[in-house]
Amino acid sequence: PSEIISEITKQYPGKIAKKRKKAMVSNVPEEDQEIQANVRTVPGIITQRGCTYAGCRGVVLGPTRDILQIVHGPIGCSFYAWLTRRNQTKPETETSENFIPYAFSTDMQDENIVFGGEKKLKQAIREAFELFSPKAIAVFSTCPVGLIGDDVHAVSREMKEELGINVFGFSCEGYRGVSQSAGHHIANNQIFKHVLGNTDRERTGKFQINLLGEYNIGGDAFELERLFEEAGIELLSTFSGNSSYDSFEYAHTADLNIVMCHRSINYIAEMMELKYGIPWIKGNFIGAGSTTKTLKKIAEFFDDAELTKKVAEICAREEAKVEAVKASIKPKVEGKTAMMFVGGSRAHHYQDLFEELGIKVLSAGYEFAHRDDYEGRHVIPNIKIDADTRNIEELSVSKTENEALWRQDLVEKKAELEKKGYEFSSYEGMMPQMEKNALVIDDISHWETEKLIEFYKPDLFCAGIKEKYVVQKGGVPLKQLHSYDYGGPYAGFEGAINFYKEMERMLATNVWKLVDAPWKSEPEIVGSMTI
Ligand code: CFM
Ligand code: HCA
């Protein structure tokens, strides 16, 4: 990897080369290596990152069906968050509210930028209320809102008073942070402040959990719901795949939080523990092995003979189905090579699925993760807090004053289990799991992607829509790990089977070797550039 790192960085001006080098690591799993992450992208470098608004509106809140979400801004921002992420939902009944197919926007015009847009926002909220009478309305700020100083929070308070429903705003302007990641944090804060804990709920089951950081892309959450239901584990709320407003309000009545994508939602898990004493564990449902491990870990937490038996039964039955498919596919794809560059946790989680098939991951990285996602949660105290991070509000949370809601029983249970070696509040990073000398790159650029492909000639590249066609025109199949290329689910046991079959379709064929980029034989422009 040092060869390719210098090959890439020698093309950059000195200062940029120095900065980019810090984001590239030739992995040595047993060493404590540091990688640069969560810093500003070099302007002009063609990053794959998205903005803070995308992380808040699109990612964290997007999958919730019955909060009417108004985007305060130009129409393009709203269009961007309109069903592009493939988060599916299943309303309880045919007439239950589902706003996901709609795009609500104030459609800001020049005039609103010059004279202010608050009046238009109030009008939009009133109109939305009259037409849809939702339980709650959320307002999302796009870049111009912060630039001109519209106060979405004041407007929301006023409208909450006037309409008598919950109305709350998000200062998630695209430029607030260096990427989507800031938007996740802002979303977590506002949900915690304005929604979570608003209503209590009587216990209806023995084992009540929340699933955090699962967004039901391609129906992933449906597969997990199936497993929990059969095991007798009651899933109170998911943040936020297939979720509803009410479930957010009573999420504090659960016994345990399972955090899947910690990058996007660890804040809520931490805050719930501080306020209510509810512990959290890291869980992963990508890969059959991970699914079994996570289900068994949940059962271990509840320590109930019947549950343990049921979970073991389900895992054995499902694993047998998975094994049968794997046995027919693995020999056809084993030994193939892959690379994966995805947002903030999938580039790690999906490595389990590749391991199951014997596919080697040569290089991987995140678009916007933090150092802990690479190196492990233990490095958090050593992460330098820069001005961009300080810009994002850090809520100060303390123990609830309502004694009935404080879970002393769980605090004690946690302490007891920890003594036995059960791990809470922790996760491993991507780097300890990866092979020696695998190349890890943060916030990869388009040009770096092309160089990597030339150098390594992988059998498969995993990324998103922005990379897909460029890579495929180079003769390398690209699997989208964001949208799943309109396939899925890939979580849980059924998901693993789907993924294996997809790998067979993409890798056990020679068709990609026959593809040649059209511009190689017929270039539209020919030229050279020196920097
Ligand atoms: Fe978490 Fe996600 Fe991801 Fe993410 Fe995303 Fe996504 Fe992603 Mo696209 S929450 S960090 S901000 S797992 S939208 S469902 S696929 S980049 S790797
Ligand atoms: C986002 C959403 C995205 C984009 C995916 C892609 C998603 O970042 O705003 O680039 O293909 O998963 O839909 O990450």
Side-chain angles (χ1 to χ4, degrees):
S2 49
E3 199 185 322
I4 176 74
I5 293 175
S6 42
E7 171 84 15
I8 288 175
T9 49
K10 78 171 189 235
Q11 296 294 326
Y12 290 138
K15 252 170 93 177
I16 296 173
K18 206 169 141 211
K19 185 167 179 184
R20 286 304 298 149
K21 264 191 195 153
K22 291 189 196 150
M24 300 175 189
V25 171
S26 171
N27 194 47
V28 185
E30 58 277 8
E31 273 178 25
D32 280 338
Q33 289 172 301
E34 187 176 326
I35 187 163
Q36 169 188 276
N38 192 32
V39 297
R40 289 185 189 186
T41 299
V42 176
I45 208 160
I46 316 194
T47 171
Q48 317 301 333
R49 280 178 171 173
C51 67
T52 300
Y53 156 80
C56 182
R57 164 66 183 94
V59 174
V60 179
L61 271 300
T64 312
R65 59 176 168 262
D66 56 357
I67 299 178
L68 193 147
Q69 308 190 19
I70 299 184
V71 175
H72 188 29
I75 196 66
C77 302
S78 203
F79 187 81
Y80 173 79
W82 190 19
L83 289 177
T84 51
R85 189 152 158 270
R86 298 198 65 239
N87 41 257
Q88 302 184 2
T89 200
K90 201 185 277 163
E92 288 105 50
T93 67
E94 261 178 42
T95 52
S96 305
E97 282 170 331
N98 177 15
F99 301 125
I100 288 181
Y102 293 87
F104 301 99
S105 168
T106 52
D107 184 22
M108 266 184 151
Q109 303 294 319
D110 296 0
E111 193 193 312
N112 312 121
I113 308 280
V114 176
F115 298 106
E118 291 182 7
K119 244 172 76 186
K120 196 165 190 191
L121 176 60
K122 282 184 207 170
Q123 200 188 326
I125 296 174
R126 286 194 189 104
E127 195 179 318
F129 181 73
E130 273 165 28
L131 287 172
F132 295 94
S133 55
K135 286 185 186 141
I137 296 182
V139 178
F140 298 86
S141 308
T142 59
C143 292
V145 171
L147 296 173
I148 64 173
D150 272 4
D151 188 344
V152 298
H153 306 289
V155 170
S156 299
R157 273 195 301 274
E158 193 186 323
M159 288 294 108
K160 182 175 175 173
E161 187 81 0
E162 182 182 311
L163 305 175
I165 58 160
N166 199 359
V167 184
F168 47 99
F170 295 83
S171 289
C172 56
E173 289 85 352
Y175 60 78
R176 278 273 165 208
V178 301
S179 69
Q180 288 95 320
S181 173
H184 302 150
H185 197 166
I186 293 165
N188 280 233
N189 285 350
Q190 297 302 86
I191 287 290
F192 196 76
K193 268 199 259 179
H194 295 282
V195 187
L196 208 153
N198 283 359
T199 54
D200 298 334
R201 179 181 181 276
E202 287 296 313
R203 177 174 285 277
T204 42
K206 259 160 84 182
F207 320 113
Q208 300 193 152
I209 63 161
N210 297 320
L211 186 55
L212 273 58
E214 205 311 310
Y215 299 96
N216 203 18
I217 310 302
D220 278 354
F222 299 145
E223 160 68 357
L224 304 182
E225 287 167 10
R226 172 181 81 92
L227 297 169
F228 290 137
E229 196 180 332
E230 190 186 345
I233 298 169
E234 198 173 355
L235 182 58
L236 288 195
S237 4
T238 301
F239 289 83
S240 58
N242 194 28
S243 65
S244 66
Y245 174 76
D246 291 347
S247 71
F248 289 172
E249 284 201 327
Y250 57 66
H252 63 299
T253 59
D255 306 315
L256 179 67
N257 283 324
I258 318 297
V259 177
M260 180 130 157
C261 169
H262 45 79
R263 179 64 278 131
S264 57
I265 209 108
N266 66 79
Y267 318 93
I268 283 186
E270 284 282 304
M271 293 190 285
M272 278 175 85
E273 179 153 17
L274 287 170
K275 188 162 178 184
Y276 304 105
I278 304 168
W280 68 268
I281 57 169
K282 162 81 185 150
N284 181 18
F285 292 99
I286 301 298
S290 316
T291 304
T292 295
K293 217 168 109 192
T294 305
L295 286 173
K296 290 194 171 163
K297 189 160 178 178
I298 298 171
E300 206 186 325
F301 172 83
F302 287 108
D303 191 24
D304 174 279
E306 203 181 312
L307 176 68
T308 307
K309 188 166 157 261
K310 189 76 203 165
V311 164
E313 248 171 54
I314 296 171
C315 294
R317 182 195 70 212
E318 297 285 323
E319 289 255 18
K321 282 197 262 173
V322 172
E323 279 306 316
V325 179
K326 190 161 89 180
S328 77
I329 293 175
K330 192 170 174 180
K332 299 184 206 160
V333 298
E334 201 166 10
K336 300 273 184 187
T337 58
M339 291 184 174
M340 43 221 292
F341 292 91
V342 209
S345 61
R346 293 187 174 182
H348 182 192
H349 287 160
Y350 275 77
Q351 296 200 18
D352 292 357
L353 271 172
F354 286 110
E355 265 173 29
E356 286 173 4
L357 289 176
I359 296 169
K360 186 177 154 86
V361 177
L362 299 170
S363 180
Y366 302 120
E367 291 168 35
F368 50 75
H370 300 198
R371 271 183 56 204
D372 46 301
D373 304 298
Y374 287 104
E375 300 168 44
R377 192 168 168 87
H378 64 279
V379 303
I380 289 182
N382 311 330
I383 297 179
K384 207 172 91 228
I385 309 289
D386 62 9
D388 288 311
T389 304
R390 224 169 280 128
N391 204 12
I392 312 302
E393 186 186 16
E394 195 65 62
L395 295 186
S396 103
V397 178
S398 49
K399 190 174 159 178
T400 171
E401 280 159 16
N402 184 343
E403 274 302 320
L405 293 178
W406 174 254
R407 299 295 304 272
Q408 189 59 31
D409 59 324
L410 297 177
V411 175
E412 282 157 25
K413 193 181 185 68
K414 177 179 173 182
E416 220 173 275
L417 280 167
E418 266 178 337
K419 269 192 234 144
K420 295 185 199 156
Y422 189 100
E423 269 195 63
F424 288 95
S425 319
S426 84
Y427 44 81
E428 285 266 296
M430 158 202 284
M431 283 157 65
Q433 186 180 345
M434 287 181 73
E435 281 191 21
K436 195 174 165 93
N437 294 333
L439 175 59
V440 183
I441 306 188
D442 184 64
D443 187 17
I444 197 172
S445 72
H446 235 297
W447 183 74
E448 290 165 1
T449 300
E450 285 178 39
K451 284 309 229 192
L452 277 198
I453 291 174
E454 256 173 49
F455 186 85
Y456 284 104
K457 302 190 174 47
D459 296 306
L460 178 73
F461 198 90
C462 302
I465 194 65
K466 299 169 220 117
E467 299 94 327
K468 185 169 177 80
Y469 298 101
V470 179
V471 172
Q472 291 194 163
K473 282 174 188 168
V476 175
L478 187 143
K479 177 66 197 169
Q480 292 192 67
L481 290 189
H482 298 261
S483 70
Y484 298 165
D485 281 307
Y486 327 111
Y490 293 142
F493 300 110
E494 284 296 324
I497 292 176
N498 288 339
F499 197 78
Y500 298 163
K501 289 184 176 165
E502 179 73 345
M503 286 304 104
E504 180 183 26
R505 279 193 287 269
M506 294 183 90
L507 291 171
T509 161
N510 283 326
V511 69
W512 290 101
K513 306 226 162 31
L514 305 172
V515 177
D516 232 343
W519 57 80
K520 282 195 185 148
S521 47
E522 279 177 62
E524 284 182 13
I525 314 173
V526 181
S528 66
M529 187 175 79
T530 42
I531 305 173

